[in-house]
Amino acid sequence: AMWSWNFTYPNGVEATNELRVPAGRPIVMRMKSRDVIHSFYLPDFKVKEDSMPGRVTYLWFYPKEPGEHVITCAEFCGVLHSNMRGTVIAMPEDEFNKWLAAEKANL
């Protein structure tokens, strides 16, 4: 959907508005937009990067500990801009690996 965050993991697993990551590892995101300019903002990590059609951008962050963090859009992108909320869920690495393998098995 236009006003949601869609994530695709390297193994093909997809998620919407919920980004699960292993805690204790640096995370890099390769971003693009299907429609308009959005700005992927993680206030807890003090990082923000635009995503736009026709261009790839990158954002790095480091979730040191397990926990949940807000994702929001910091660029006014249209009528449902305020609905662009999501969550980063940093998990212990073994739990993350189990989750990712289970999701892959469901593809």
Side-chain angles (χ1 to χ4, degrees):
M2 182 166 172
W3 288 285
S4 63
W5 299 111
N6 300 291
F7 305 105
T8 304
Y9 291 82
N11 69 354
V13 166
E14 295 182 354
T16 301
N17 293 330
E18 207 174 78
L19 177 62
R20 291 176 185 267
V21 297
R25 292 201 167 267
I27 307 298
V28 62
M29 296 175 52
R30 181 181 178 275
M31 303 190 305
K32 58 189 179 182
S33 173
R34 287 188 301 265
D35 40 56
V36 298
I37 296 173
H38 299 285
S39 188
F40 188 87
Y41 180 36
L42 296 174
D44 289 349
F45 298 101
K46 299 175 178 59
V47 292
K48 178 171 64 171
E49 184 57 67
D50 289 350
S51 65
M52 56 205 90
R55 186 166 157 199
V56 174
T57 56
Y58 295 87
L59 175 132
W60 288 262
F61 66 99
Y62 181 51
K64 292 183 181 130
E65 305 288 330
E68 294 194 5
H69 306 275
V70 169
I71 302 169
T72 189
C73 182
E75 179 75 33
F76 181 72
C77 56
V79 67
L80 292 177
H81 166 70
S82 60
N83 284 13
M84 287 197 72
R85 290 184 301 272
T87 308
V88 168
I89 301 171
M91 309 168 70
E93 192 168 0
D94 58 333
E95 284 182 31
F96 171 78
N97 291 336
K98 285 179 194 153
W99 172 83
L100 195 60
E103 291 293 308
K104 176 71 175 171
N106 291 333
L107 290 181

